[in-house]
Amino acid sequence: MISSGVWDPGVFQRGVRNGLDTGLAAGVELRQLRYFVTLAEELHFGRAAEREHIVQSALSQQVQRLERELGVRLLERSTHHVGLTAAGVVFLVEARQILAHAERAAQAARSAVGASAPLRVGIIDSSYDSMPQILHEVQARYPGLVIHQVEASVPEQYQLLTDGRLDVGVGRAALAPPQIASLLFRQDPLGVLVPAGHRFAGLEGVSVAALAAEPLLLAEQARAPEFNQFTVEMCRAAGFTPTVYAGTVESIRAAADLVAQGRCLYCVPASCIAALPGTIWRPLTGPASHYPWSVLWRAAGDSGHVRAVVSCAQAMSKRLGWLTAAVQTAQ
């Protein structure tokens, strides 16, 4: 069997001929084949590891496991030289064919997703960049897929998902009903928007406790109860109940306008600060706070569309360190 380490794409059932073991290579993984091919092309462990974005020792270990699984030596190694054995030369041809076939299979699967019904995605506010980045990745993988973005609050997304009028949503999943499944993909640093000239504007960070003396704007409760709950609980954990500004808004841009006028401050994740000109964002400290973003979908509707978005969210989260940043801050 050849497995990718995440998905099981199928079984490697062809014998390896021309001097190699003709039995089933039951433990060979696609990544081991890829590492071997890269090393065969570079003939240098350091350069091959750099191409694969892993440390050199991990690359060497995986290639050694591949050799043990096959029962043959594929490489000649010395202090200053790496070369292919006769078996390695033969195996290189076969490995390239297997990897190419796996890629064709993946492309065929993606094309099948792209040829199906449109993907309907809920977004909270166009100012947040998480879902647009994920959808860009989805579109790159499935260029034929038609995506419809629907701006809706998290409670509205729950209802649309439950009714089957939305395929995927995004938001904090703390208040999700039982019929909604979720996957956490980002811990977004929380900060505070302040107007130019405010006493916080010149600081590198603002302690949560310092917000006690400031009027804080909350979202309209019906539209964002999960965000209001997060903000209020954060303040209470710091030892105070926030002074809530009397008015409400329905968009991040409207909130930024009130902040720019000096009427209030507004807590907001870092993922939207690039879209808010005229205000200054400062991270919250003492302790640092992170807003959790999750992909949302109907638990009974785990379709190919959903799996595509979840897969892209996981890949992007890992690549950009969206979850590890919060852990590092805590440490």
Side-chain angles (χ1 to χ4, degrees), residues 206-212 216 231 234-240 284-289:
V206 177
S207 69
V208 176
L211 300 179
L216 285 184
T231 302
M234 175 188 68
C235 293
R236 287 176 177 167
F240 70 97
L284 287 172
T285 61
S289 186

Side-chain angles (χ1 to χ4, degrees), residues 44-235:
H44 188 282
F45 278 95
R47 290 194 298 268
E50 185 175 353
R51 271 181 56 181
E52 292 296 334
H53 305 290
I54 60 173
V55 296
Q56 184 172 324
S57 59
L59 178 80
S60 179
Q61 289 171 5
Q62 289 300 322
V63 173
Q64 288 173 3
R65 289 177 184 174
L66 175 63
E67 290 178 316
R68 287 197 299 270
E69 186 65 37
L70 297 175
V72 297
R73 192 155 48 88
L74 301 175
L75 298 169
E76 295 283 3
R77 303 169 177 85
S78 67
T79 306
H80 303 291
H81 174 75
V82 179
L84 293 175
T85 63
V89 171
V90 173
F91 189 74
L92 176 61
V93 176
E94 299 288 344
R96 281 173 169 159
Q97 291 179 358
I98 292 170
L99 291 173
H101 188 81
E103 180 59 29
R104 287 195 299 272
Q107 290 292 347
R110 291 166 184 166
S111 297
V113 172
S116 59
L119 173 66
R120 300 161 300 176
V121 180
I123 59 173
I124 298 175
D125 189 295
S126 59
S127 298
Y128 292 114
D129 69 2
S130 294
M131 186 55 82
Q133 289 188 71
I134 293 170
L135 294 182
H136 181 77
E137 182 110 344
V138 172
Q139 200 76 81
R141 291 193 188 186
Y142 311 100
L145 178 63
V146 176
I147 299 176
H148 296 308
Q149 296 187 43
V150 179
E151 191 165 311
S153 67
V154 173
E156 289 171 337
Q157 290 183 49
Y158 290 154
Q159 189 60 54
L160 293 171
L161 288 166
T162 301
D163 295 344
R165 291 179 288 161
L166 207 62
D167 299 303
V168 178
V170 64
R172 180 178 178 233
L175 303 180
Q179 62 268 32
I180 301 300
S182 64
L183 174 87
L184 177 69
F185 67 87
R186 186 172 191 174
Q187 291 282 13
D188 202 356
L190 197 68
V192 60
L193 282 180
V194 303
H198 191 277
R199 62 192 180 97
F200 293 160
L203 302 178
E204 291 186 2
V206 177
S207 69
V208 176
L211 300 179
E214 302 289 339
L216 285 184
L217 175 66
L218 297 181
E220 185 179 354
Q221 181 63 16
R223 289 187 57 82
E226 75 292 336
F227 188 80
N228 289 348
Q229 178 195 56
F230 186 89
T231 302
V232 171
E233 288 181 351
M234 175 188 68
C235 293

Side-chain angles (χ1 to χ4, degrees), residues 1-7 9-10 12 25-36 62 65-66 69-70 91 95 98-99:
M1 179 182 295
I2 296 179
S3 64
S4 65
V6 177
W7 301 98
F12 178 41
V28 176
E29 300 179 5
L30 284 178
R31 63 173 178 169
Q32 293 173 337
L33 298 184
R34 190 177 72 248
Y35 294 162
F36 168 72
Q62 289 300 322
R65 289 177 184 174
L66 175 63
E69 186 65 37
L70 297 175
F91 189 74
I98 292 170
L99 291 173

